[in-house]
Amino acid sequence: MSLNVPFAEWLPDQPPLNNPGVTRAQNVIPGSGQFYKPFPSAAQYAPTSLPGRPYAAISLLDNLKNAHVYTATQRNLFTQDPGTSNWADISRAAGYTTADIEGWRFTEAYGLVVATNYSDNPQYIDATKGTKFGDLTTLVKARYLTTLRDFVLVGNTFDAFDGAVPYRVRWSAIGNPFDWNFSATTQADFQDILGGGPVQAVIGGEEGTVLLKSQIVKMVYVGSPAIFEFKTIYQNKGCAIPQSVIAADGKIFFYGEDGFYMLQDDKLNPIGKGKVDAWFKANANQTGFDRMTVSIDPLNKLVIWMYASVDSFDLKPDQMLVFNYDTGAWSTANSKVTFLFNSLSLPITLAALDKYGSLNAVPASLDSSVWSGGRAFLAAMDEAGVIYSFSGANMPATIETGEYPTGQMLQQVMQGVKGDRALVRAASPKVHGVGDVSVQVSGKTTPQQNTNYGTASPINVNGWCPLRSDARYHRYRITLAGNWTQAMGVEIDAVPTGLR
């Protein structure tokens, strides 16, 4: 008798027994329905290097529509040279002294790239014609920054008069990122936000959003004399990990004290509740949260957090948590990269491809968006600053189902069945594409027993993986490699046993 087990969403926070989804979804991407797609491996995009690990990165088009990529290490700021693909040091002459507990943030405003690390004065460079970064202002330092309408907005500040004010936001003169002198005429000013702890992130656009430790505040431009109206939209809810924050398609994603959230139209949605929040808390190395990066996969509508797992004793990020913000489904992936960012591809000529030796060694097809300038793609770097794109071969993937009482399932589809045991004889993975697919089964008499999978059985010419497990409860592990394209579920061949 055949039973169908679809690959629903990954729900590790739910008990394995009768789990309505799957219990493991490794190296896969949640599809637009009840299926998964392969997660491509990271392929080298530019064999450049940095003197230290990357702290932040930004990519943008300048006023002449040329693509640029900038990155920061602890001591220096760099841009990628489109001619050589190497990182070029464009730091100010004095360099930088980023404290060990600090990081870098970037924003774009009026054709400028602006960077801050709290330890030094905010930096800027003209993306069109600048050759070196320099001080944007000497009046304020800040941990976080963004571009809000016609202003550069910073949060969690330090200045010579008030010292460190972690709950303050401050903005430049309207239309002039270089002017930070308070003035009713230029509208440069500040606001202290009380009752929510330190500012953890500032998000710009037409309206601003300030994420504090335990408060979420909206900034709406109203003009002089108030300049901005501040409205608390959530109290006792906020951001616990500043490095977890990203905005895409009118949504803001972040990790709060109790899990992952999405803020849209001033409404807070606990996207990880009952799904992955408990799993993440148990599997993430909290000491390494300052190394977390988050990025958007614009093609697949994904938010991807890269972080250090509990297995990463050196705190290097080694795991990715993937969220499909169209469907609300999750998955995981691992990779040799340690840093994610969104990039625009720099123009690459055919002559420049000579560095790969042959067309067979080129890591992406010649019609891939990574070769034409100005195309957005999900990028990554390793600890040495080598740039990667996720355009390689499919990573080996694993999907594990929930644990099901197979005998009871047979009773629902077969008349006269009274036993609660079943013999699983085979499984047929429902997978599109050409790939290497195998199935393992775990059988139990009671839910309390350990889960022990049997030998992996490869798929035969008839589409079945021969198995043999006589038990009350069964769960299945499907491993996939090669050029498969979609995995939708598994069909089980089972017969009732244990009848008297």
Side-chain angles (χ1 to χ4, degrees), residues 29-32 246-253 261-264 269 271 275 294-305 322-331 342:
I29 293 172
S32 56
I246 198 167
D249 292 350
K251 307 172 181 68
I252 300 172
F253 305 90
Y261 284 90
M262 179 179 73
L263 181 67
Q264 183 179 18
N269 179 10
I271 56 176
K275 297 183 177 183
V294 57
S295 195
I296 299 294
D297 180 341
L299 179 63
N300 293 296
K301 301 294 184 181
L302 305 175
V303 184
I304 305 176
W305 287 270
V322 183
F323 176 67
N324 185 320
Y325 56 84
D326 268 357
T327 66
W330 297 81
S331 67
N342 285 107

Side-chain angles (χ1 to χ4, degrees), residues 55 74-75 96-103 117-120:
Y55 274 56
Q74 187 174 25
R75 306 298 181 190
Y96 308 103
T97 57
T98 313
D100 289 340
I101 62 172
E102 303 297 346
N117 67 349
Y118 194 75
S119 301
D120 299 286

Side-chain angles (χ1 to χ4, degrees), residues 90-152:
I90 52 173
S91 307
R92 67 179 184 184
Y96 308 103
T97 57
T98 313
D100 289 340
I101 62 172
E102 303 297 346
W104 282 93
R105 299 292 191 281
F106 285 106
T107 193
E108 175 192 1
Y110 292 97
L112 307 178
V113 177
V114 183
T116 187
N117 67 349
Y118 194 75
S119 301
D120 299 286
N121 294 324
Q123 298 293 291
Y124 85 97
I125 192 172
D126 187 314
T128 304
K129 57 187 178 182
T131 58
K132 294 284 185 180
F133 273 93
D135 288 352
L136 180 77
T137 179
T138 60
L139 296 182
V140 63
K141 299 176 182 178
R143 286 191 167 94
Y144 312 109
L145 85 167
T146 190
T147 302
L148 172 57
R149 289 178 57 97
D150 303 316
F151 305 86
V152 172

Side-chain angles (χ1 to χ4, degrees), residues 11-12 14-21 23 401-404 444 451 475:
L11 298 172
Q14 299 297 314
L17 184 60
N18 293 319
N19 191 301
T23 57
T401 69
E403 191 170 280
Y404 307 115
K444 295 181 181 181
T451 300
R475 62 195 298 186

Side-chain angles (χ1 to χ4, degrees), residues 7 25 29 72 118 127 172 176 195 206 214 274 284 291 309 312 434 441 478:
F7 290 158
I29 293 172
Y118 194 75
S172 68
N176 186 358
E206 187 64 21
S214 59
R291 297 284 304 274
S309 72
S312 178
V434 179
V441 62
I478 297 86

